[in-house]
Amino acid sequence: MIERSAAGPLRRLVVLRHAKSARPEGVTDHERPLSARGRRDAPAAGRALAAADCLPGLALCSTAVRARRTWELAAEQWGTPPPVRHDPRLYHADVPGLLTVVREAPAEVETLLLVGHNPGLEDLVLTLADDGLDDTLDRVRAKFPTAAVAVLDWRGATWRDLHPGGALLTSLTVPRGRR
């Protein structure tokens, strides 16, 4: 684990890709709901975050229906969910857009959850991580599937200090719910 230093406290960015979505006819991309599998996997992601002691102090979530529902189902697994900000800039955001939103997080938040979409989230994880434990980086490079949870640890006084190559990818999990 990364130790605290003069560079600032240990911070954790938890990146959650929305769970599997459905593609109903006549529904816009932004309004797509979760599929049956997505409705099973999103709570499993919440349980996995709790089991790994990765509960956030704040969640930043895309406004897309599938991302919002993923957040809701994951957060229902915790005793007291943290505050959430639904930000339209996270819908189909690229790395610079995602970093802009993340860097606006309050300094007192040490663990931040980001719920959004690919390819932006996968690109963000690969951009921020200068290294990874075990085979985590290779696994992200191969695929960052729906409901995947990546945990990046880094040090900084504020979220504005987060920069490319400045984090360690400490875990990658792909929780799946039971049928």
Side-chain angles (χ1 to χ4, degrees), residues 78-97:
W78 312 328
T80 304
V84 61
R85 294 181 186 168
H86 295 94
D87 194 317
R89 297 175 294 171
L90 296 175
Y91 177 63
H92 289 311
D94 59 8
V95 170

Side-chain angles (χ1 to χ4, degrees), residues 31-160:
E31 301 304 311
R32 286 175 35 212
L34 292 179
S35 68
R37 187 177 109 196
R39 290 189 304 273
R40 290 189 306 269
D41 292 350
R47 290 189 297 273
L49 287 170
D53 197 25
C54 282
L55 298 183
L58 175 67
L60 303 174
C61 184
S62 164
T63 56
V65 169
R66 60 193 180 274
R68 291 173 67 104
R69 191 66 181 132
T70 297
W71 156 251
E72 292 164 359
L73 291 170
E76 285 175 0
Q77 306 306 304
W78 312 328
T80 304
V84 61
R85 294 181 186 168
H86 295 94
D87 194 317
R89 297 175 294 171
L90 296 175
Y91 177 63
H92 289 311
D94 59 8
V95 170
L98 292 166
L99 277 173
T100 294
V101 176
V102 167
R103 287 175 174 154
E104 293 171 0
E108 63 270 11
V109 173
E110 291 188 359
T111 299
L112 181 67
L113 174 64
L114 182 62
V115 184
H117 312 270
N118 256 6
L121 292 184
E122 178 179 327
D123 293 342
L124 178 69
V125 170
L126 294 173
T127 297
L128 292 176
D130 72 333
D131 199 2
L133 298 182
D134 302 322
D135 64 346
T136 53
L137 275 175
D138 289 337
R139 290 175 50 217
V140 171
R141 285 184 193 107
K143 187 175 184 179
F144 194 66
T146 56
V149 179
V151 178
L152 296 143
D153 286 351
W154 64 285
R155 282 178 258 188
T158 72
W159 287 93
R160 290 185 304 275

Side-chain angles (χ1 to χ4, degrees), residues 154-175:
W154 64 285
R155 282 178 258 188
T158 72
W159 287 93
R160 290 185 304 275
D161 298 333
L162 181 59
H163 62 275
L168 174 67
L169 181 59
T170 58
S171 73
L172 174 67
T173 56
V174 184

